[in-house]
């Protein structure tokens, strides 16, 4: 195991106390150790937080999302655990919450991230498994707690896409938790969400357009190459106007990416598409220009 609860591991004979104090383990929380050399990313920090709190804890928020396979957490996201009682000491990088969770809200994951029946709880936890909030509950919690509307939609898009759930599932959880803090904005978040979104920055690009009052674009629109009988997928599109809008991330860098994109965009332009391509810098620091570009492009041509 790469993460250990020290006292439990010593009692089980996995390691000795002197080994835990040696060069092969790093103490990250009281009585909680990570093997030296293991990157302290959100997944590892979350598992460590779960070991620290104990088997009655449930990973939630971005911690749950990470363990569920969602790769969209902010770089500074803390480990987050729902605990049955308050009064635990606060530690930097760890958020403890008291909240009401129903059985359907909690999944048991084994060390490989696969869901297991609750009947196997003791064995799975002993072998490195964890409790996490379900995808629906995770999206619900992030939707009501993320600061700002845009970040909330980004979170719901990411969980819905990775876990193959409908954004509307967030509202089903809200119905079971009437009166909970933050739920009044959930209908707006769900209305703006789209499970087809391919990345957080694609979501942000879409929201730049929609929140400025432009028509809602189609997400992940397929364009068929008739000659090759293959299709490309546009991040965003206005099919009737043959306008495509794409976010250019790191995957487009490098010689291979440039060559692939050159052929792709040549084919699209030849097929009559007008393509608009934007970077992270454009989305975060120049949204007004994006809106102006697309507003002009969508304007009906003047009659002559």
């Amino acid at each position: 195991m790469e993460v250990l609860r020290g006292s439990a591991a010593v009692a089980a004979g996995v390691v000795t106390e002197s080994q835990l104090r040696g060069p092969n383990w790093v103490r990250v929380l009281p009585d909680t150790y990570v093997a030296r050399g293991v990157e302290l990313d959100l997944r590892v920090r979350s598992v460590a937080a779960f070991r620290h709190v104990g088997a009655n804890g449930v990973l939630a928020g971005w911690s749950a999302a990470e363990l569920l396979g969602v790769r969209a957490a902010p770089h500074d996201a803390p480990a987050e655990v729902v605990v049955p009682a308050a009064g635990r000491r606060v530690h930097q990088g760890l958020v403890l919450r008291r909240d009401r969770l129903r059985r359907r809200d909690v999944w048991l994951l084994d060390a490989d991230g696969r869901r297991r029946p609750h009947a196997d709880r003791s064995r799975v936890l002993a072998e490195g498994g964890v409790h996490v909030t379900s995808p629906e509950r995770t999206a619900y919690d992030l939707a009501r707690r993320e600061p700002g509307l845009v970040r909330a939609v980004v979170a719901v898009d990411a969980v819905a896409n990775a876990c193959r759930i409908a954004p509307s599932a967030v509202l089903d959880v809200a119905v079971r938790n009437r009166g909970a803090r933050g739920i009044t904005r959930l209908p707006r978040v769900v209305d703006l969400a789209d499970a087809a979104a391919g990345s957080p920055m694609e979501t942000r690009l879409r929201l730049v357009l929609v929140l400025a009052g432009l028509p809602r674009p189609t997400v992940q629109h397929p364009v068929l190459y008739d000659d090759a009988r293959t299709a490309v997928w546009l991040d965003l599109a206005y099919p009737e106007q043959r306008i495509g809008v794409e976010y250019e991330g790191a995957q487009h860098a490098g010689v291979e990416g440039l060559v692939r994109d050159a052929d792709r965009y040549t084919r699209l332009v030849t097929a009559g598409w007008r393509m608009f391509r934007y970077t992270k810098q454009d989305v975060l620091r120049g949204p007004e220009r994006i809106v102006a570009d697309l507003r002009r492009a969508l304007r009906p041509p003047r009659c002559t």
Side-chain angles (χ1 to χ4, degrees):
M1 290 186 186
E2 60 186 9
V3 182
L4 296 176
R5 181 69 185 260
S7 56
V10 170
V14 176
V15 294
T16 65
E17 291 185 4
S18 62
Q19 286 175 326
L20 286 177
R21 294 193 296 269
N24 295 326
W25 294 93
V26 178
R27 181 179 179 272
V28 293
L29 288 166
D31 197 28
T32 310
Y33 299 81
V34 173
R36 187 174 297 278
V38 173
E39 182 183 356
L40 292 177
D41 57 15
L42 179 58
R43 184 189 69 82
V44 171
R45 291 187 287 109
S46 298
V47 173
F50 180 80
R51 299 279 175 266
H52 169 68
V53 169
N56 289 326
V58 180
L59 293 173
W62 284 116
S63 284
E66 185 73 18
L67 271 294
L68 289 166
V70 181
R71 303 291 179 257
H75 73 278
D76 58 349
E80 181 176 330
V81 191
V82 174
V83 293
R88 291 179 177 271
R89 185 177 176 182
V90 176
H91 298 281
Q92 185 176 3
L94 171 60
V95 173
L96 300 178
R97 298 189 187 276
R98 286 197 66 188
D99 210 338
R100 182 184 179 187
L101 295 175
R102 294 171 170 80
R103 185 179 180 85
R104 71 173 69 179
D105 292 331
V106 180
W107 279 19
L108 174 64
L109 302 183
D110 64 20
D112 294 322
R114 295 171 297 195
R115 188 183 181 188
R116 296 301 186 189
H118 281 278
D120 299 335
R121 177 177 182 271
S122 296
R123 177 181 60 80
V124 172
L125 294 180
E127 294 174 352
V130 295
H131 291 138
V132 303
T133 50
S134 68
E136 295 83 359
R137 176 71 196 216
T138 301
Y140 161 81
D141 284 336
L142 290 170
R144 65 194 179 100
R145 288 178 176 153
E146 279 293 281
L149 178 64
V150 171
R151 285 185 54 165
V153 177
V154 166
V156 172
D157 274 10
V159 176
N161 181 276
C163 300
R164 299 294 186 263
I165 65 171
S168 59
V170 168
L171 300 180
D172 297 333
V173 180
V175 168
R176 301 194 295 270
N177 294 274
R178 296 184 187 278
R181 182 175 297 179
I183 64 174
T184 55
R185 74 169 177 179
L186 296 187
R188 178 62 169 153
V189 172
V190 170
D191 177 62
L192 290 170
D194 195 311
S199 73
M201 288 306 301
E202 289 178 22
T203 296
R204 287 179 177 273
L205 176 56
R206 185 179 83 246
L207 293 179
V208 164
L209 304 177
V210 175
L211 294 179
L214 293 175
R216 184 172 299 202
T218 300
V219 179
Q220 294 299 318
H221 177 71
V223 178
L224 183 66
Y225 293 157
D226 292 332
D227 58 337
R229 297 194 176 184
T230 58
V232 296
W233 299 81
L234 302 180
D235 296 340
L236 305 171
Y238 295 99
E240 291 185 3
Q241 294 86 357
R242 285 187 172 266
I243 293 173
V245 186
E246 300 233 287
Y247 172 71
E248 302 294 331
Q251 71 274 18
H252 297 275
V255 174
E256 184 178 341
L258 291 173
V259 171
R260 182 178 60 250
D261 284 352
D263 177 70
R264 183 172 186 266
Y265 287 106
T266 297
R267 286 173 173 265
L268 287 166
V269 172
T270 300
W273 284 80
R274 286 179 290 166
M275 298 300 302
F276 294 81
R277 304 164 68 181
Y278 299 104
T279 65
K280 182 176 182 179
Q281 188 89 351
D282 297 323
V283 175
L284 298 182
R285 298 187 180 181
E288 299 85 359
R289 182 174 70 85
I290 298 174
V291 172
D293 288 346
L294 270 300
R295 183 164 282 136
R296 282 193 299 268
L298 291 167
R299 192 174 296 150
R302 293 182 178 180
C303 296
T304 58

